[in-house]
Amino acid sequence: MPMPTLAVVGATGAVGTVMCDLLSSRRNVWGEIRVVASARSAGRKVQCRGEELTVQALAPEVFDGVDVAMFDVPDEISAEWAPIAVSRGAVAVDNSGAFRMDRDVPLVVPEINPEQLRNRPKGIIANANCTTLAMIVAVAPLHREYGLRELVLASYQAVSGAGQVGVDTLHDQLTKIAGDRVLGSRPGNVRQAVGDDLGPFPAPLALNVVPWAGSLKEAGWSSEELKIRNESRKILGLPDLKVSATCVRVPVVTGHSVAVHAVFGTEVDAESAREALRNAPGVILVDDPAAGEFPMPIDAVGTDPSWVGRLRRSMDDPRALDLFVTGDNLRKGAALNTAQIAELLAAELAGR
């Protein structure tokens, strides 16, 4: 049987670029690869698997003959085009938020629930939010060991989560403040130095953290905080899991981090929890405070696993663990998880 054909939709964006890198470095399971983007990017050249591919404009016919279509585009474009790809015979793997909570669309993390892949009545498989993904890969093996009951989370989200414009905004702000050692010691002086160029953020990020990511939802919660709650429940198959999150944007380029307080159904032990994480797929344990070794975005960037450390049993609850997780939000948080799902589909197609 010939190798399946893959379409990468949104190939010129921040995640699409990482996707092409991944396709070049991972085991090759694809025949033809088509790179697709908006009409304004059509005709551009993209390097993938050592080939120079020409970007095609998004249109129904680009999906003809495609077996798997990976989407990394805004929600409204996925909502319109993923069903079109399916109608042309492809299975759609979508990285946007458009289908994650649709009960007829599985939300798949290959290390946790690969069996859900076959349960796709709409022909669409969803990829989780980047913050959820970094955290859930580390929490799932602990859930299997101890039975998860509750999560209290604080995220530390990188600016690349807001796209290239987020990265450019932070670097521009850092350039403006560089060298002025009085900044941050008086009210208003950082805002004054940064000026009105806030990019996609509600406040300056240089020398600051902003306790906000996403859009405003009811009762003061943000869309990012609700995503972590709803997606964690769906991925773990725990519809009643208690989850409370505070999402914070920090001046980091790439790598989302999460401080996790996890409450379980049984008593936990930090050493056996470390052992469970040491053996877990997609996880690297970096936990030696005495040697100054912690999971941090500057080390996790460009790598595939979720980095986990600062593991300790809660002082006031023998059933609770505290830990810190960080992962590259453009790799496992987006492109890598999408690629892993697509590779499982390729194996399924080859087995037919």
Side-chain angles (χ1 to χ4, degrees):
M1 175 173 170
M3 290 169 101
T5 297
L6 174 71
V8 181
V9 184
T12 56
V15 174
T17 307
V18 174
M19 181 65 75
C20 288
D21 289 346
L22 283 171
L23 290 168
S24 304
S25 61
R26 292 178 70 78
R27 191 168 70 86
N28 184 31
V29 297
W30 304 106
E32 182 193 349
I33 294 180
R34 296 179 196 172
V35 288
V36 182
S38 64
R40 70 171 184 275
S41 295
R44 274 177 59 181
K45 302 283 193 240
V46 172
Q47 285 291 331
C48 193
R49 290 192 306 186
E51 306 167 50
E52 194 172 65
L53 303 177
T54 303
V55 176
Q56 302 179 43
L58 184 55
E61 51 274 14
V62 300
F63 299 109
D64 289 347
V66 168
D67 297 294
V68 179
M70 300 195 290
F71 284 81
D72 189 72
V73 291
D75 292 15
E76 61 278 9
I77 296 174
S78 279
E80 180 185 350
W81 285 93
I84 292 172
V86 173
S87 74
R88 296 277 174 151
V91 178
V93 184
D94 182 42
N95 188 38
S96 83
F99 300 100
R100 287 176 190 147
M101 299 321 296
D102 185 323
R103 62 177 48 188
D104 291 328
V105 175
L107 186 60
V108 174
V109 182
E111 293 90 343
I112 300 172
N113 60 346
E115 73 289 345
Q116 289 297 321
L117 195 78
R118 291 175 180 270
N119 173 29
R120 48 173 195 267
K122 290 188 173 176
I124 300 170
I125 297 159
N127 194 31
N129 172 278
C130 45
T131 315
T132 306
L133 269 168
M135 178 270 302
I136 207 81
V137 175
V139 166
L142 298 173
H143 164 54
R144 281 195 286 271
E145 198 81 10
Y146 305 114
L148 186 65
R149 296 287 167 85
E150 186 176 346
L151 287 171
V152 181
L153 311 165
S155 73
Y156 303 75
Q157 294 179 221
V159 293
S160 57
Q164 188 59 43
V165 63
V167 178
D168 292 341
T169 299
L170 176 60
H171 278 300
D172 291 346
Q173 291 180 2
L174 291 172
T175 303
K176 285 178 181 172
I177 63 156
D180 186 341
R181 300 205 169 193
V182 179
L183 289 179
S185 60
R186 284 203 295 272
N189 67 0
V190 171
R191 285 185 184 273
Q192 198 173 358
V194 165
D196 296 332
D197 180 19
L198 301 178
F201 310 115
L205 266 163
L207 303 180
N208 196 27
V209 298
V210 181
W212 188 258
S215 54
L216 182 61
K217 299 297 181 186
E218 60 194 54
W221 293 95
S222 82
S223 57
E224 289 277 313
E225 290 157 354
L226 298 183
K227 282 178 193 174
I228 293 181
R229 178 175 187 261
N230 296 334
E231 293 173 24
S232 296
R233 289 172 153 196
K234 186 170 177 177
I235 293 164
L236 296 173
L238 297 172
D240 300 321
L241 181 67
K242 292 180 180 177
V243 185
S244 192
T246 301
C247 288
V248 183
R249 192 73 72 177
V250 295
V252 166
V253 173
T254 297
H256 287 353
S257 306
V258 185
V260 179
H261 176 79
V263 184
F264 298 93
T266 53
E267 197 166 314
V268 295
D269 166 70
E271 204 35 64
S272 70
R274 271 189 204 94
E275 202 50 39
L277 289 168
R278 237 178 235 118
N279 298 319
V283 171
I284 183 167
L285 190 67
V286 185
D287 194 8
D288 190 351
E293 291 181 4
F294 315 105
M296 293 179 287
I298 56 166
D299 301 317
V301 63
T303 72
D304 291 343
S306 286
W307 295 45
V308 189
R310 293 298 327 279
L311 210 73
R312 57 229 188 266
R313 188 166 91 162
S314 172
M315 285 193 277
D316 303 311
D317 185 349
R319 298 168 306 123
L321 278 172
D322 288 276
L323 54 140
F324 193 80
V325 188
T326 190
D328 185 320
N329 51 296
L330 302 179
R331 284 179 83 89
K332 182 57 183 177
L336 175 64
N337 201 69
T338 312
Q340 288 173 307
I341 293 169
E343 285 164 7
L344 290 176
L345 287 169
E348 180 190 310
L349 292 164
R352 276 184 184 166

